[in-house]
Each structure stands twice: as structure tokens, then as C-alpha cells.
């Protein structure tokens, strides 16, 4: 376990904006930051990060929390692993005892596979740099390709020995389980029970997650045997889903944000050569054709993609396949054609970043120009059928652009390039958009997407308040809000003649304890109990309340509700607290001395009213006036006296 003082240091150091920015391109909006949510598909940003409150909240899918819970959610880590992750980021040493066999058994499978992949990456690097075979074959290959020592080291390039099962045997003797060697795909077990290293005799390209952890590998054979696959990737596993991963993104994300553009290439060496030449905002869709998930991954950091694929026909076709997918996701796409027989790796080799950037700027084309020129190249003016096919293909691309303004701009440009009446293009694009929207596949997709979106139990009403159920629940939410937002603020809980300066938390907790009241809503009751427990442990009430324990709570309902409260822009007004404008205030804190006692008054009164109603209902059910009826009347009378006492007490405070 991690000691509490280290946990406190990590919470104090973990800046929510810095942490989230490692995974999402945040844009400042007022005092907060905004982005499209990384946890669900959306095109209009509803994900908000509040640096002052130290929390994030998505108003689309409902997820929220602090820096620790964000890492847990995004990286699928446990609480302790998320703390270790942030400890590494902020240079905070986390005391850990050496793992025993028993510890390894307790690790979940995913983390065990992560640890194995990291160890394997180090092993491949060591093999390439410290063995004769590795130096001559592996390092020799990378040097022949003119990759610098800096690039080789930065990307963790390595070599897997060619002796069949040498890597597997070393991993097993180092304490790693056969189960995880096979599930990561690093080891293949034959039918006769012997092992074979999947990447035997290959140079190794570690594939990193967006947070920098090794999750898979790509291996290139150095054999000339045509029956052997040139490149081999790790199979799908619990930690690696190739359609959701972009090679080089971990190293490129800061440059992508800075340049507000992502360069998309095909292969590992394309990324390496461009990085070596000083162009770092580059990623590759290695091992798979471009996927929607990969495009959405890029969209977290920029809305602009420049595609640079090989200059041969296969590379050009790959460009065309990707264009419509990028457009459909609402991103801007430009294409840079390379000279024939060139690929980004060979083209970048030996060129400076200035030369490369100048070439890109001078040759990049918007998708309409690129596609029109490419498709029209072999179409003679006398072949109307082929010409119609080109126009139809262009219209298909135009119809997938979700935003009306850029779509209309490109329609106008296409009209000029193709020599087609603009009104005709508008009509055809509209028709295809209608057809696609009404298609069975898209309707089914939208239905499933809506069904799978996380639902919240609270319903937003017109004034921004979040309420559910009875008036009691509404008032309980209001009291919880005052505790979380202003619990450590001092207010006068007495009168002008007899002042009583106490904390908001002390006032609310004290009143609840005096009357033995327990919150009725189970979620609010749990939050209240957690708050009271943390408050009671505080030895210095001049310090800030440890809110991170609630915004990062392992119970997602508690975490999300607390974040909802913290992200509100004004006080709740469900009970008509401010219907009379008897007081002019500049901000919420100026009215706490009135709001808190009034909220307590209304809540206690509501509780008593519900009790009186319940007793009255029971009284009407009785067939005759008996001893039970007499007892009920006494209880109602006592409750009315209590209600009167509460009213008088808080009227003195409020007046």
C-alpha cells in the first residue's frame, strides 16, 4: 500500500488541467477548459475541466471526478495504480515493496500483461545493444536506415533474438507466467507443448498507449524469404486493441496540440524518419487500415489532419479510403502527394524540418482538389459514364461532412472544379444525406448508441437545478451542496445581538445531530456520512477540506454527484429561497448567512410535515376513536410544537 503522506503529496501535485491535457486537447473557455469528451462519442464539446475546483465533468455522458479518477477511468487502472501513474508524472517517489509471487497472483490480468510488456521492451533493447547478434543484426539494420541513436533510444527500438524461444525462456525464469506470455502474443505454444517467440529474429517497435505504457509490439523480419510476413504485430489482447491505437501518438501529442495539426502516415519508419527530421506531430495507423476510433483519438488534440501516404497506387488508395472517414467525423483533412516511388520514410531522410514543412505547405491539397484531380486523371472528356462516376464519388464525400458551412463551401469549390451547376450538387448532396440518415444501419447504430450512453438519475430543470423525486430529496441535495461548496466557510449562525460565528459544516452537522435526522435519499446519505467522517478527522479547521477524497471516490455515484455539485455555477433555488428580493448580493458567499439557516429550516419543516401527513393518513384509516387515535393526536401535536419552535428559532437568525 502507499502511505497517506505520499497520497496527499500526489493529490496536491496533480494539476487537473495538466493531467487531462496529456490525453485531451483542452481549450480555455472563461475560467474553465473545454473539450470533446474522451469517454463517449460527441462532436460538440460538453467535457469541462475546472482548475479552481480541481475536477472534470462531462455533461453529455455524466462522467466526472478529479485527476486521480480521470486516470483511473481513462487508463482503466485501479486506485493504487493511478496514484503510481501520477507519482511518476510528478516525480514523487512511491514506496513499493518488491513483488512476491503472491503479489503477482493478486495483480489483475491487465496489469500483469502491462508489466510483462514493459519488461519485454527493456529486454529487446538490452538484447540489441548488449549481444553480438543484436548489435550486428538489429542495431545494424537501424543504422543502415540512418536512424540516430536519439531516435532509437526515444522510441525504445530493440531486437528479439532468433534462437526460437530464447525470449520466452528468459521471461519464464524471470517469474512471468506462461498464461500472460501467450495472452500478450509474445509467445506461441505449439501443440507438442514447446514454445516459440512470436517475434524471433525481428527488429522490434514497441507500441505505446496514449499515456506512454508499452501495450504491444510490431516486428520487422530481416529475412528475404517472401513467405515470411515482412511486418508482424501483436495480436488483440486485453491491453491492445489495434483499431484504438496510433503508433507514435504518445510522443506526438504535445506537438500536435502546438501545431494544431496531425500528420498521418502508414508505417513505423515513416514516423521515425519524420521525427528525426524535426517534424514531431506525426502518427501512423500501423497494422490496420485507418479506423473511426483512431480518427476520434486524433480529434482529442486537433481538428486538422494532413495525410501523407506513399506515392504509389496502394498509398493513394489508402488516402482515398481514409478521407471520407475523416470527413464523417467532422475533421478537416488535407492530402500531401509524394513523388512517385517515394514514401514518407525515404522522402524525409536527410531533409531538415524546414525543408519538410515547406514541401508540405507547398503541396498539400484540400480533399476536393486532390480527389478531383486523381479521379479525373484517366477520364477523357468524351467518356460521360466515367465522368459521372467521378462526380458521384465526389458527391459521396461531400455528403458525409456533418457541418453545413464547410459542406457548402466545398460544394461551391466542387462546382467550379467539375463544371457542374452548384444547385444540382446541393440537391444531390442533400438527397444522399437524407438517404443515409434514413438507412437501417445508421438508425440501428443511433439507437444502440443512445441505449448505451450512461444515464443519470437526476433530471435538470429549467433553472439549472438538478432534482429528483420529492421535495425532501431536493432539499437534501441543497444541504449537501452547501456542505461540499462552502463547508469550511464561517457564517454568523446567531443573531446580531447574540452572534455565533461557526463553520457552515458545523452548523448543518450540528442541527442534524441535535434532532437525530438521517437523510432519506441513500446516495445523499452516503455522501453526507463520508463528509462527516472526513470532517471529524480534521485536526486543523483552518485547512482546506480534503475534497479530493470525494471527487475521486471509488463509488462512481458519489464521485459523479460530488462533481456535479462542484461544477454548478450558482446556488440551487428549488425551494424558493430567493423569491423575495429583499437582499442585494454580489456572489453566493454573501448570502450564506441567510441561505444555510433557511435551507435547514425548510428541510426540518418538510420532514415534520411528511411525518404529520403520515400520521394523519393513519388516523383517517381508523374505524373508531381509540387509544391508538389518541396517541396519534398527541404525536401530531408534539410535531406541530416542534415545527413552531424551529420556525421561531430560525426566524430570529434570518431576521
Amino acid at each position: 500500500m502507499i502511505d497517506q503522506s505520499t497520497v496527499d503529496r500526489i493529490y496536491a501535485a496533480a494539476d487537473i488541467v495538466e493531467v487531462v491535457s496529456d490525453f485531451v486537447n483542452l481549450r480555455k473557455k472563461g475560467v474553465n477548459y473545454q473539450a470533446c469528451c474522451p469517454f463517449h462519442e460527441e462532436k460538440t464539446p460538453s467535457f469541462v475541466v475546472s482548475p479552481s475546483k480541481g475536477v472534470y465533468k462531462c455533461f453529455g455522458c455524466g462522467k466526472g471526478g478529479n485527476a486521480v479518477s480521470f486516470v483511473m477511468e481513462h487508463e482503466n487502472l485501479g486506485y493504487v495504480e493511478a496514484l503510481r501513474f501520477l507519482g511518476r508524472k510528478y516525480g514523487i517517489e512511491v514506496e513499493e515493496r518488491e513483488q512476491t509471487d503472491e503479489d503477482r497472483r493478486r495483480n489483475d490480468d491487465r496489469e500483469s500483461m502491462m508489466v510483462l510488456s514493459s519488461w519485454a521492451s527493456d529486454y529487446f533493447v538490452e538484447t540489441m545493444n548488449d549481444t553480438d547478434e543484436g548489435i550486428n543484426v538489429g542495431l545494424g539494420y537501424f543504422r543502415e536506415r540512418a536512424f540516430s541513436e536519439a531516435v532509437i533510444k526515444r522510441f525504445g527500438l530493440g531486437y528479439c533474438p532468433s534462437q526460437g524461444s530464447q525470449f520466452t525462456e528468459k521471461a519464464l525464469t524471470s517469474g512471468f507466467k506462461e498464461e500472460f506470455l501467450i495472452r500478450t502474443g509474445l509467445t506461441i505454444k505449439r501443440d507438442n507443448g514447446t514454445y516459440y517467440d512470436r517475434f524471433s529474429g525481428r527488429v522490434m517497435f514497441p507500441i505505446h498507449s496514449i499515456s506512454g505504457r508499452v501495450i504491444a509490439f510490431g516486428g520487422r523480419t530481416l529475412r528475404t524469404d517472401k513467405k515470411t510476413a515482412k511486418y508482424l504485430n501483436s495480436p488483440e489482447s486485453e491491453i491492445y486493441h489495434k483499431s484504438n491505437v496510433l503508433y507514435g501518438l504518445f510522443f506526438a501529442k504535445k506537438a500536435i496540440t502546438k501545431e494544431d495539426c496531425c500528420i498521418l502516415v502508414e508505417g513505423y519508419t515513416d514516423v521515425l524518419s519524420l521525427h528525426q527530421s524535426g517534424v514531431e506531430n506525426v502518427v501512423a495507423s500501423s497494422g490496420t487500415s485507418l479506423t473511426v476510433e483512431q480518427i476520434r483519438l486524433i480529434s482529442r488534440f486537433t481538428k486538422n489532419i494532413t495525410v501523407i501516404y506513399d506515392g504509389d497506387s496502394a498509398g493513394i488508395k489508402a488516402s482515398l479510403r481514409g478521407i471520407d472517414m475523416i470527413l464523417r467525423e467532422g475533421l478537416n483533412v488535407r492530402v500531401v502527394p509524394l513523388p512517385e516511388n517515394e514514401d514518407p520514410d525515404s522522402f524525409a531522410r536527410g531533409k531538415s524540418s524546414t525543408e519538410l514543412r515547406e514541401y508540405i505547405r507547398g503541396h498539400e491539397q484540400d480533399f476536393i482538389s486532390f480527389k478531383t484531380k486523381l479521379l479525373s486523371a484517366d477520364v477523357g472528356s468524351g467518356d460521360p459514364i466515367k465522368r459521372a462516376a467521378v462526380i458521384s464519388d465526389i458527391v459521396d464525400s461531400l455528403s458525409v461532412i456533418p457541418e453545413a458551412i464547410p459542406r457548402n463551401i466545398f460544394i461551391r469549390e466542387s462546382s467550379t472544379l467539375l463544371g457542374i451547376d452548384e444547385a444540382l450538387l446541393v440537391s444531390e448532396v442533400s438527397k444522399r444525406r437524407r438517404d443515409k440518415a434514413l438507412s437501417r444501419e445508421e438508425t440501428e447504430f443511433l439507437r444502440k448508441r443512445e441505449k448505451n450512453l450512461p444515464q443519470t438519475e437526476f433530471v435538470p430543470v429549467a433553472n439549472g437545478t438538478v432534482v429528483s423525486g420529492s421535495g425532501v430529496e431536493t432539499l437534501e441535495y441543497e444541504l449537501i451542496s452547501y456542505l461540499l461548496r462552502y463547508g469550511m466557510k464561517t457564517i454568523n449562525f446567531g443573531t446580531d445581538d447574540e452572534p455565533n460565528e461557526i463553520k457552515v459544516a458545523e452548523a448543518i452537522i450540528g442541527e442534524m445531530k441535535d434532532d437525530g435526522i438521517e437523510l432519506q435519499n441513500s446516495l445523499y446519505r452516503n455522501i453526507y456520512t463520508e463528509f462527516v467522517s472526513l470532517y471529524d478527522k480534521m485536526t486543523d479547521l483552518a485547512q482546506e477540506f480534503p475534497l479530493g477524497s470525494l471527487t475521486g471516490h471509488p463509488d462512481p455515484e458519489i464521485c459523479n454527484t460530488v462533481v456535479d455539485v462542484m461544477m454548478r455555477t450558482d446556488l440551487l433555488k428549488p425551494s424558493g429561497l430567493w423569491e423575495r428580493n429583499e437582499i442585494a448580493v454580489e456572489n453566493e458567499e454573501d448570502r450564506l448567512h441567510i441561505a444555510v439557516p433557511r435551507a435547514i429550516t425548510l428541510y426540518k419543516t418538510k420532514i415534520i410535515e411528511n411525518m404529520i401527513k403520515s400520521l394523519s393518513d393513519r388516523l383517517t384509516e381508523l374505524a373508531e376513536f381509540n387509544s391508538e387515535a389518541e396517541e396519534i393526536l398527541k404525536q401530531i401535536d408534539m410535531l406541530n410544537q416542534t415545527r413552531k419552535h424551529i420556525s421561531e428559532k430560525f426566524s430570529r437568525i434570518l431576521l
Side-chain angles (χ1 to χ4, degrees):
M1 293 296 292
I2 303 174
D3 64 278
Q4 189 58 44
S5 62
T6 303
V7 173
D8 293 342
R9 287 179 61 207
I10 292 172
Y11 267 97
D15 180 280
I16 186 70
V17 175
E18 288 181 356
V19 172
V20 176
S21 292
D22 283 344
F23 305 92
V24 180
N25 184 19
L26 294 175
R27 297 190 181 278
K28 193 166 178 52
K29 187 172 184 181
V31 298
N32 295 326
Y33 291 81
Q34 198 174 58
C36 286
C37 180
F39 303 122
H40 80 285
E41 178 194 347
E42 64 175 6
K43 293 184 173 66
T44 302
S46 60
F47 181 84
V48 178
V49 174
S50 169
S52 61
K53 298 180 177 72
V55 298
Y56 71 92
K57 176 68 182 178
C58 176
F59 294 96
C61 69
K63 293 186 184 297
N66 59 17
V68 177
S69 59
F70 179 86
V71 172
M72 290 172 65
E73 181 74 31
H74 192 278
E75 293 300 289
N76 195 19
L77 298 177
Y79 178 68
V80 173
E81 292 307 317
L83 288 173
R84 289 176 182 153
F85 177 96
L86 291 171
R88 290 191 294 269
K89 175 178 175 64
Y90 287 98
I92 299 172
E93 186 175 354
V94 177
E95 293 289 339
E96 297 180 59
R97 65 181 184 275
E98 187 176 349
Q99 280 195 329
T100 65
D101 290 340
E102 185 179 356
D103 291 329
R104 288 195 180 95
R105 281 193 296 272
R106 280 198 298 262
N107 280 345
D108 60 52
D109 291 0
R110 191 175 190 278
E111 184 58 26
S112 296
M113 294 169 74
M114 287 282 199
V115 172
L116 171 59
S117 296
S118 178
W119 179 88
S121 180
D122 292 340
Y123 173 84
F124 296 140
V125 169
E126 184 179 339
T127 299
M128 187 175 74
N129 289 284
D130 295 344
T131 67
D132 290 340
E133 181 187 0
I135 293 171
N136 293 329
V137 181
L139 193 57
Y141 167 79
F142 288 123
R143 285 174 174 169
E144 183 183 336
R145 299 294 297 263
F147 291 125
S148 67
E149 295 295 332
V151 164
I152 292 172
K153 183 176 180 180
R154 185 181 190 194
F155 284 84
L157 308 182
Y159 177 74
C160 182
S162 60
Q163 287 83 1
S165 61
Q166 184 175 329
F167 160 77
T168 300
E169 291 166 3
K170 179 65 176 177
L172 290 170
T173 58
S174 297
F176 292 99
K177 292 183 177 180
E178 172 195 292
E179 173 190 1
F180 299 122
L181 284 163
I182 294 172
R183 284 165 64 178
T184 55
L186 288 164
T187 297
I188 297 171
K189 189 174 183 180
R190 298 186 179 97
D191 292 340
N192 62 6
T194 59
Y195 302 113
Y196 185 77
D197 299 337
R198 175 181 294 271
F199 297 106
S200 178
R202 293 175 181 264
V203 289
M204 302 299 292
F205 301 85
I207 299 171
H208 298 80
S209 70
I210 194 173
S211 62
R213 303 189 77 180
V214 178
I215 54 176
F217 296 90
R220 186 195 191 282
T221 186
L222 302 180
R223 299 174 185 172
T224 56
D225 182 3
K226 293 184 178 180
K227 294 182 180 179
T228 302
K230 186 176 180 179
Y231 279 96
L232 190 64
N233 289 331
S234 295
E236 295 271 318
S237 70
E238 289 91 330
I239 63 173
Y240 176 56
H241 303 284
K242 61 184 181 181
S243 62
N244 297 337
V245 176
L246 286 161
Y247 180 74
L249 181 59
F250 170 68
F251 304 100
K253 57 188 179 182
K254 288 186 178 178
I256 292 171
T257 300
K258 181 181 178 182
E259 301 283 344
D260 194 20
C261 177
C262 177
I263 295 174
L264 182 63
V265 295
E266 280 189 293
Y268 304 121
T269 56
D270 296 335
V271 171
L272 300 178
S273 288
L274 285 166
H275 263 267
Q276 184 162 299
S277 296
V279 178
E280 297 188 353
N281 57 322
V282 56
V283 299
S285 56
S286 302
T288 178
S289 298
L290 187 65
T291 67
V292 171
E293 292 81 7
Q294 290 171 335
I295 296 169
R296 291 173 185 165
L297 200 55
I298 294 172
S299 71
R300 297 190 195 176
F301 302 94
T302 183
K303 296 298 181 185
N304 303 303
I305 296 180
T306 296
V307 178
I308 308 179
Y309 281 171
D310 297 359
D312 59 16
S313 59
I316 291 170
K317 288 179 180 177
S319 297
L320 290 175
R321 281 196 302 270
I323 283 175
D324 285 1
M325 294 175 65
I326 296 171
L327 292 172
R328 190 176 289 111
E329 293 304 308
L331 276 66
N332 307 311
V333 57
R334 301 181 77 83
V335 184
V336 177
L338 293 177
E340 193 172 351
N341 299 321
E342 290 274 20
D343 58 34
D345 173 20
S346 63
F347 188 74
R349 207 174 303 155
K351 291 184 175 63
S352 67
S353 62
T354 301
E355 291 172 322
L356 284 173
R357 292 179 194 283
E358 286 180 353
Y359 181 87
I360 291 172
R361 280 194 296 268
H363 292 79
E364 64 181 355
Q365 305 170 16
D366 63 63
F367 82 95
I368 287 295
S369 300
F370 174 76
K371 202 166 187 178
T372 301
K373 292 175 184 176
L374 188 66
L375 296 178
S376 301
D378 298 324
V379 178
S381 58
D383 193 336
I385 295 177
K386 288 185 177 181
R387 179 170 166 74
V390 170
I391 294 172
S392 179
D393 202 311
I394 297 294
V395 169
D396 273 341
S397 293
L398 292 169
S399 67
V400 302
I401 301 174
E403 299 293 332
I405 292 176
R407 185 170 65 245
N408 289 332
I409 290 173
F410 282 123
I411 286 175
R412 186 169 301 135
E413 183 179 343
S414 300
S415 171
T416 302
L417 288 172
L418 297 169
I420 297 293
D421 182 67
E422 184 178 335
L424 180 60
L425 281 179
V426 169
S427 174
E428 187 60 28
V429 168
S430 298
K431 179 179 180 298
R432 296 197 189 188
R433 285 182 61 79
R434 286 195 303 271
D435 291 344
K436 288 174 183 176
L438 294 173
S439 70
R440 181 182 303 174
E441 292 79 12
E442 186 163 345
T443 302
E444 179 67 12
F445 166 75
L446 291 172
R447 186 190 67 80
K448 287 182 178 179
R449 184 177 69 178
E450 183 177 351
K451 179 181 177 182
N452 291 329
L453 279 177
Q455 300 296 316
T456 175
E457 66 173 298
F458 304 113
V459 181
V461 298
N463 61 6
T465 301
V466 183
V467 298
S468 176
S470 71
V472 169
E473 288 188 353
T474 301
L475 291 164
E476 287 179 349
Y477 185 86
E478 188 169 349
L479 289 173
I480 290 295
S481 298
Y482 287 125
L483 278 177
L484 294 172
R485 291 169 68 89
Y486 304 113
M488 304 309 292
K489 299 292 183 183
T490 300
I491 61 171
N492 179 13
F493 203 64
T495 64
D496 291 338
D497 296 332
E498 298 180 22
N500 180 20
E501 298 288 333
I502 61 174
K503 302 286 186 186
V504 169
E506 186 179 347
I508 295 175
I509 295 170
E511 288 295 325
M512 300 288 279
K513 285 182 177 179
D514 285 349
D515 292 308
I517 297 176
E518 186 178 70
L519 299 188
Q520 296 180 14
N521 180 286
S522 60
L523 174 59
Y524 303 157
R525 183 168 62 248
N526 290 338
I527 294 173
Y528 177 81
T529 302
E530 293 278 355
F531 183 97
V532 173
S533 175
L534 292 167
Y535 185 79
D536 288 344
K537 292 176 183 177
M538 295 182 67
T539 56
D540 183 2
L541 295 183
Q543 294 181 343
E544 290 187 7
F545 181 81
L547 193 63
S549 298
L550 296 177
T551 58
H553 198 279
D555 184 332
E557 280 195 302
I558 291 178
C559 173
N560 284 333
T561 304
V562 171
V563 172
D564 279 334
V565 170
M566 299 308 298
M567 293 297 284
R568 282 177 33 241
T569 57
D570 60 1
L571 282 173
L572 294 174
K573 304 175 186 177
S575 50
L577 292 182
W578 308 107
E579 287 177 355
R580 293 178 298 166
N581 298 319
E582 69 265 26
I583 296 178
V585 292
E586 293 297 325
N587 55 55
E588 295 177 359
E589 295 183 38
D590 289 341
R591 56 195 183 199
L592 286 175
H593 65 291
I594 294 177
V596 173
R598 187 173 285 182
I600 294 171
T601 304
L602 289 168
Y603 178 62
K604 286 189 173 185
T605 301
K606 188 67 176 178
I607 292 289
I608 292 173
E609 287 176 353
N610 287 349
M611 293 172 69
I612 291 174
K613 183 179 185 304
S614 178
L615 289 169
S616 298
D617 290 343
R618 174 59 186 149
L619 189 63
T620 59
E621 293 173 358
L622 297 176
E624 58 182 13
F625 187 84
N626 52 26
S627 58
E628 183 182 355
E630 188 174 358
E631 182 60 31
I632 290 174
L633 287 173
K634 287 181 181 179
Q635 291 181 38
I636 291 175
D637 184 60
M638 289 176 61
L639 288 170
N640 278 319
Q641 291 298 321
T642 302
R643 179 167 59 178
K644 181 180 178 182
H645 170 72
I646 291 171
S647 179
E648 290 174 350
K649 175 183 176 180
F650 286 101
S651 290
R652 288 197 300 273
I653 296 175
L654 295 172
L655 294 175

